[in-house]
Amino acid sequence: GLCSYLLIGFWFTNISYASAAKKAFVMNRIGDLGFLIAIFLIFSTFGSVEFSKIFPQAAAMVSGDSTLILITALLFVGAIGKSAQIPLFTWLPDAMAGPTPVSALIHAATMVTAGIYMIARSNILFTLAPQTLDVVSIIGLATAILAATIALTQTDIKKVLAYSTVSQLGYMFLGLGVGAYTGAFLHVIPHAFFKALLFLGAGSVIHAASDEQDMRKMGGLKKKLPIPFLTMMAGTIAIAGLPPFSGF
C-alpha cells in the first residue's frame, strides 16, 4: 500500500496526482482493515496463520459454518480493496497518475492480482463457505460489466486500460466465485503479460505524442510508430481472446 502510494504520487507537485495517491492509500486501508480482522479471527479459531495448520482443521468443519463464512467474507473485503472491485474500485483508474512503467507493473500485473491469489490459495476455506462464494461471483460479475461499460466512455488512453483491468479482475473473481479456482488463476498470468504490454505501449504513444493522453487527439500513428503499433496489436488481440494468443 505504501509503495503504491509513493509511486502513484511520483509527481507530487501536481495536486490531482497527490490526491490520487491519497485515495489509493485510504481505499487500500479500508480493505486491509477487513483483511486484518480476518487474520485475527483465523488465529483465534485455528491457533495459527499458516496454511499447513489451518487447512487440515478447516477440512474437518461443516460446510456453511458461520465462523468460516465470517472469515471468508472479511478476507474478501481485503481482496475487494486490493483488487479494485465494487465499491472500492475508483482508486485504480486514478492510480494512472503514476509513471507508465508503474501502471504496467503494479496496476496491471502484480499488486491488483494479490486478492485473486489470496482467495485461490485459501480455496479450502472458501469452498466450505458457499454463501461467500455467491457474493464473490455477484460482485465479480457486476464489476466486470460496470468497469467495461465505463471504459467505453473514457478518453484518456491509460484510463481505458485501467478500467479494462478492473473488468478483467471482475472476470477472475467470477471464476473464483463459481469454484473454478484453476481457471481464474490461469487468467491472472496471461493477463499480467498482455496488460503490462498494453500499458507500456500506451506509455510509448504518450511519449511520442508529447505527453498527450487524450485519445480523441490521436490517430494514424501506425506510420510514425510501427513497433508500438505491432506490440499493442498483439496485446489487443490477446486481451480480446482471439486465437492463437493466450487470452483465447
Side-chain angles (χ1 to χ4, degrees):
L2 177 66
C3 291
S4 192
Y5 166 78
L6 294 170
L7 288 164
I8 295 164
F10 181 77
W11 287 294
F12 56 87
T13 47
N14 181 324
I15 301 298
S16 64
Y17 290 2
S19 55
K22 272 192 297 207
K23 184 177 189 177
F25 193 74
V26 170
M27 284 203 172
N28 274 296
R29 294 295 73 80
I30 296 168
D32 289 349
L33 177 65
F35 192 58
L36 262 176
I37 298 170
I39 293 172
F40 295 150
L41 273 172
I42 286 173
F43 193 77
S44 68
T45 310
F46 301 107
S48 172
V49 287
E50 286 183 34
F51 290 132
S52 57
K53 294 185 178 140
I54 295 167
F55 294 160
Q57 293 182 57
M61 296 169 84
V62 291
S63 179
D65 184 274
S66 56
T67 316
L68 281 179
I69 291 172
L70 186 58
I71 287 172
T72 50
L74 286 164
L75 284 175
F76 182 51
V77 170
I80 287 174
K82 191 58 79 187
S83 297
Q85 298 297 290
I86 292 171
L88 301 176
F89 69 96
T90 50
W91 69 268
L92 186 58
D94 289 7
M96 296 304 110
T100 307
V102 173
S103 306
L105 177 69
I106 298 196
H107 303 121
T110 50
M111 187 184 107
V112 290
T113 51
I116 314 278
Y117 176 74
M118 185 266 300
I119 292 181
R121 186 72 182 81
S122 42
N123 63 68
I124 294 176
L125 302 177
F126 282 84
T127 305
L128 289 170
Q131 294 84 345
T132 309
L133 283 182
D134 291 344
V135 174
V136 173
S137 315
I138 293 162
I139 290 185
L141 183 61
T143 307
I145 295 168
L146 178 70
T149 313
I150 297 172
L152 295 174
T153 65
Q154 295 298 309
T155 54
D156 182 320
I157 189 167
K158 279 171 76 178
K159 282 205 171 169
V160 172
L161 294 174
Y163 277 111
S164 159
T165 300
V166 177
S167 179
Q168 295 286 320
L169 291 164
Y171 275 136
M172 295 173 209
F173 275 115
L174 178 58
L176 294 169
V178 297
Y181 302 110
T182 321
F185 197 71
L186 185 66
H187 190 49
V188 167
I189 295 161
H191 175 261
F193 283 95
F194 52 63
K195 188 54 66 67
L197 174 65
L198 284 168
F199 266 117
L200 291 170
S204 174
V205 170
I206 291 165
H207 280 300
S210 309
D211 292 334
E212 179 57 68
Q213 291 182 223
D214 190 336
M215 291 193 300
R216 292 170 298 183
K217 299 179 183 173
M218 298 173 188
L221 295 173
K222 180 187 168 189
K223 291 190 188 75
K224 305 278 187 202
L225 304 169
I227 295 170
F229 168 75
L230 289 172
T231 54
M232 285 196 83
M233 193 63 166
T236 306
I237 292 170
I239 200 167
L242 300 175
F245 289 100
S246 56
F248 174 66

Coordinates of all heavy atoms in Angstrom, one line a residue, residues 197-240:
L197 N 2.0 -5.2 -21.3 CA 2.4 -4.8 -22.7 C 1.6 -3.6 -23.2 O 2.1 -2.7 -23.8 CB 2.2 -6.0 -23.6 CG 2.5 -5.8 -25.1 CD1 3.9 -5.5 -25.3 CD2 2.1 -7.0 -25.9
L198 N 0.3 -3.7 -23.0 CA -0.6 -2.6 -23.4 C -0.3 -1.3 -22.7 O -0.2 -0.2 -23.4 CB -2.1 -2.9 -23.2 CG -2.7 -3.9 -24.2 CD1 -4.0 -4.5 -23.7 CD2 -2.8 -3.3 -25.6
F199 N 0.0 -1.4 -21.4 CA 0.4 -0.1 -20.7 C 1.7 0.4 -21.2 O 1.8 1.7 -21.4 CB 0.5 -0.4 -19.2 CG -0.8 -0.2 -18.4 CD1 -1.5 -1.2 -17.8 CD2 -1.3 1.1 -18.4 CE1 -2.7 -0.9 -17.1 CE2 -2.5 1.4 -17.7 CZ -3.2 0.3 -17.1
L200 N 2.7 -0.4 -21.4 CA 4.0 0.1 -21.9 C 3.8 0.7 -23.3 O 4.4 1.7 -23.6 CB 5.0 -1.1 -21.9 CG 5.4 -1.5 -20.5 CD1 6.3 -2.8 -20.6 CD2 6.2 -0.4 -19.8
G201 N 2.9 0.0 -24.1 CA 2.6 0.6 -25.4 C 2.0 1.9 -25.3 O 2.3 2.9 -26.1
A202 N 1.0 2.1 -24.4 CA 0.4 3.3 -24.2 C 1.4 4.4 -23.7 O 1.4 5.5 -24.2 CB -0.7 3.2 -23.1
G203 N 2.4 4.0 -22.9 CA 3.4 4.9 -22.5 C 4.2 5.4 -23.6 O 4.6 6.6 -23.7
S204 N 4.5 4.5 -24.5 CA 5.3 4.8 -25.7 C 4.6 5.8 -26.6 O 5.1 6.8 -27.1 CB 5.5 3.5 -26.5 OG 6.2 3.8 -27.7
V205 N 3.2 5.6 -26.7 CA 2.4 6.5 -27.5 C 2.4 7.9 -26.8 O 2.5 9.0 -27.5 CB 1.0 6.0 -27.7 CG1 0.0 7.0 -28.3 CG2 1.0 4.7 -28.6
I206 N 2.2 7.9 -25.5 CA 2.1 9.2 -24.7 C 3.4 10.0 -24.9 O 3.4 11.2 -25.2 CB 1.8 8.9 -23.2 CG1 0.4 8.4 -23.1 CG2 2.0 10.2 -22.4 CD1 0.1 7.8 -21.7
H207 N 4.6 9.3 -24.8 CA 5.9 10.0 -25.0 C 6.0 10.5 -26.4 O 6.4 11.7 -26.6 CB 7.0 9.0 -24.7 CG 7.3 8.9 -23.3 ND1 7.7 10.0 -22.5 CD2 7.3 7.8 -22.5 CE1 7.9 9.5 -21.2 NE2 7.6 8.2 -21.2
A208 N 5.6 9.7 -27.4 CA 5.7 10.1 -28.8 C 4.8 11.3 -29.1 O 5.1 12.2 -29.9 CB 5.4 9.0 -29.7
A209 N 3.7 11.4 -28.4 CA 2.7 12.5 -28.6 C 2.9 13.6 -27.7 O 2.0 14.4 -27.4 CB 1.3 11.9 -28.5
S210 N 4.1 13.8 -27.2 CA 4.5 14.9 -26.2 C 3.6 15.0 -25.0 O 2.9 16.0 -24.8 CB 4.5 16.3 -27.0 OG 5.2 16.2 -28.1
D211 N 3.5 13.8 -24.3 CA 2.7 13.7 -23.1 C 1.2 14.0 -23.3 O 0.5 14.4 -22.3 CB 3.2 14.7 -22.0 CG 4.6 14.2 -21.5 OD1 4.9 13.0 -21.6 OD2 5.4 15.0 -21.1
E212 N 0.7 13.7 -24.5 CA -0.8 13.8 -24.7 C -1.4 12.5 -24.4 O -1.1 11.5 -25.0 CB -1.0 14.3 -26.2 CG -2.5 14.4 -26.5 CD -3.2 15.4 -25.6 OE1 -2.9 16.6 -25.7 OE2 -4.0 15.0 -24.8
Q213 N -2.5 12.5 -23.5 CA -3.1 11.2 -23.2 C -4.6 11.2 -23.7 O -5.3 10.2 -23.5 CB -3.1 11.0 -21.7 CG -1.7 10.8 -21.2 CD -1.6 10.5 -19.7 OE1 -0.7 11.0 -19.0 NE2 -2.5 9.7 -19.1
D214 N -5.0 12.2 -24.4 CA -6.4 12.3 -24.9 C -6.5 11.5 -26.2 O -5.9 12.0 -27.2 CB -6.9 13.7 -25.0 CG -8.4 13.8 -25.3 OD1 -8.9 12.8 -25.8 OD2 -9.0 14.9 -25.0
M215 N -7.2 10.4 -26.2 CA -7.2 9.6 -27.5 C -7.9 10.3 -28.6 O -7.7 9.9 -29.8 CB -7.9 8.2 -27.2 CG -7.1 7.3 -26.3 SD -7.7 5.7 -26.3 CE -9.3 5.9 -25.7
R216 N -8.8 11.3 -28.3 CA -9.5 12.0 -29.3 C -8.6 12.8 -30.2 O -8.9 13.2 -31.3 CB -10.6 12.9 -28.7 CG -11.7 12.1 -28.0 CD -12.6 13.0 -27.2 NE -11.9 13.6 -26.1 CZ -12.5 14.4 -25.2 NH1 -13.8 14.7 -25.3 NH2 -11.8 15.0 -24.3
K217 N -7.4 13.1 -29.7 CA -6.4 13.8 -30.5 C -5.4 13.0 -31.2 O -4.4 13.4 -31.8 CB -5.7 14.8 -29.5 CG -6.6 15.8 -28.9 CD -5.9 16.7 -27.9 CE -6.8 17.6 -27.2 NZ -6.2 18.4 -26.2
M218 N -5.6 11.6 -31.1 CA -4.7 10.7 -31.8 C -5.3 10.1 -33.0 O -6.5 10.1 -33.2 CB -4.3 9.6 -30.8 CG -3.6 10.1 -29.5 SD -3.4 8.8 -28.4 CE -2.8 9.6 -27.0
G219 N -4.5 9.4 -33.8 CA -5.0 8.7 -34.9 C -3.9 8.6 -36.0 O -3.1 9.5 -36.1
G220 N -3.9 7.5 -36.8 CA -3.0 7.4 -37.9 C -1.5 7.3 -37.4 O -0.6 7.8 -38.1
L221 N -1.3 6.7 -36.2 CA 0.0 6.7 -35.6 C 0.9 5.5 -36.2 O 2.0 5.4 -35.8 CB 0.0 6.6 -34.1 CG -0.6 7.9 -33.4 CD1 -0.8 7.6 -31.9 CD2 0.2 9.1 -33.6
K222 N 0.2 4.7 -36.9 CA 0.9 3.5 -37.4 C 2.2 3.8 -38.2 O 3.2 3.2 -38.0 CB 0.0 2.6 -38.2 CG 0.6 1.3 -38.8 CD -0.4 0.7 -39.8 CE 0.4 -0.4 -40.5 NZ -0.5 -1.0 -41.6
K223 N 2.1 4.9 -39.0 CA 3.3 5.2 -39.9 C 4.4 5.7 -39.0 O 5.6 5.5 -39.3 CB 2.9 6.3 -40.9 CG 1.9 5.9 -42.0 CD 1.8 6.9 -43.0 CE 0.7 6.6 -44.0 NZ -0.7 6.8 -43.5
K224 N 4.1 6.5 -38.0 CA 5.1 7.1 -37.1 C 5.7 6.1 -36.1 O 6.8 6.3 -35.7 CB 4.5 8.3 -36.4 CG 3.9 9.4 -37.3 CD 4.9 10.3 -37.8 CE 4.2 11.5 -38.6 NZ 5.2 12.1 -39.6
L225 N 4.8 5.2 -35.6 CA 5.2 4.3 -34.5 C 5.0 2.9 -34.9 O 4.1 2.2 -34.4 CB 4.4 4.6 -33.2 CG 4.4 6.1 -32.7 CD1 3.4 6.2 -31.6 CD2 5.8 6.4 -32.2
P226 N 5.7 2.4 -35.9 CA 5.4 1.0 -36.3 C 5.6 -0.1 -35.3 O 4.8 -1.0 -35.2 CB 6.5 0.8 -37.5 CG 7.5 1.8 -37.2 CD 6.9 3.0 -36.6
I227 N 6.6 0.0 -34.4 CA 6.9 -1.0 -33.4 C 5.8 -1.0 -32.3 O 5.2 -2.1 -32.0 CB 8.3 -0.9 -32.8 CG1 9.3 -1.2 -33.9 CG2 8.5 -2.0 -31.7 CD1 10.7 -0.9 -33.6
P228 N 5.5 0.2 -31.7 CA 4.3 0.2 -30.7 C 3.0 -0.3 -31.4 O 2.2 -0.9 -30.7 CB 4.2 1.6 -30.3 CG 5.6 2.2 -30.5 CD 6.2 1.5 -31.7
F229 N 2.9 0.0 -32.7 CA 1.6 -0.5 -33.4 C 1.6 -2.0 -33.3 O 0.5 -2.6 -33.0 CB 1.6 0.0 -34.8 CG 0.6 -0.7 -35.7 CD1 -0.7 -0.3 -35.6 CD2 0.9 -1.7 -36.6 CE1 -1.7 -0.9 -36.3 CE2 0.0 -2.3 -37.4 CZ -1.4 -1.9 -37.2
L230 N 2.7 -2.7 -33.6 CA 2.7 -4.1 -33.7 C 2.5 -4.7 -32.3 O 1.8 -5.7 -32.1 CB 4.0 -4.6 -34.3 CG 4.1 -4.4 -35.8 CD1 5.5 -4.8 -36.3 CD2 3.1 -5.2 -36.6
T231 N 3.2 -4.2 -31.3 CA 3.2 -4.7 -29.9 C 1.8 -4.5 -29.3 O 1.2 -5.4 -28.7 CB 4.2 -4.1 -29.0 OG1 4.1 -2.7 -29.0 CG2 5.6 -4.5 -29.4
M232 N 1.2 -3.3 -29.5 CA -0.1 -3.1 -28.9 C -1.2 -3.9 -29.7 O -2.2 -4.4 -29.1 CB -0.5 -1.6 -29.0 CG 0.2 -0.8 -27.9 SD -0.5 0.8 -27.7 CE -1.8 0.5 -26.5
M233 N -0.9 -4.2 -31.0 CA -1.9 -5.0 -31.7 C -1.9 -6.4 -31.1 O -2.9 -7.0 -30.9 CB -1.4 -5.1 -33.2 CG -2.4 -5.6 -34.1 SD -3.9 -4.6 -34.1 CE -4.8 -5.2 -35.5
A234 N -0.7 -6.9 -30.8 CA -0.5 -8.3 -30.2 C -1.3 -8.3 -28.9 O -2.0 -9.2 -28.6 CB 0.9 -8.6 -30.1
G235 N -1.0 -7.3 -28.0 CA -1.7 -7.2 -26.7 C -3.2 -7.1 -26.9 O -3.9 -7.8 -26.1
T236 N -3.7 -6.4 -27.9 CA -5.1 -6.2 -28.1 C -5.8 -7.5 -28.5 O -6.8 -7.9 -28.0 CB -5.4 -5.1 -29.1 OG1 -4.7 -3.9 -28.7 CG2 -6.8 -4.8 -29.2
I237 N -5.1 -8.2 -29.4 CA -5.7 -9.5 -29.9 C -5.7 -10.5 -28.7 O -6.7 -11.2 -28.5 CB -4.8 -10.0 -31.0 CG1 -5.0 -9.1 -32.3 CG2 -5.2 -11.5 -31.4 CD1 -4.0 -9.5 -33.4
A238 N -4.7 -10.5 -27.9 CA -4.6 -11.4 -26.7 C -5.7 -11.1 -25.7 O -6.4 -12.0 -25.3 CB -3.3 -11.3 -26.1
I239 N -5.9 -9.8 -25.4 CA -6.9 -9.5 -24.4 C -8.4 -9.6 -24.9 O -9.3 -9.9 -24.2 CB -6.7 -8.0 -23.8 CG1 -7.4 -7.9 -22.5 CG2 -7.2 -7.0 -24.8 CD1 -7.0 -6.7 -21.7
A240 N -8.5 -9.5 -26.3 CA -9.8 -9.7 -26.9 C -10.2 -11.2 -27.0 O -11.3 -11.6 -27.4 CB -9.9 -9.1 -28.3

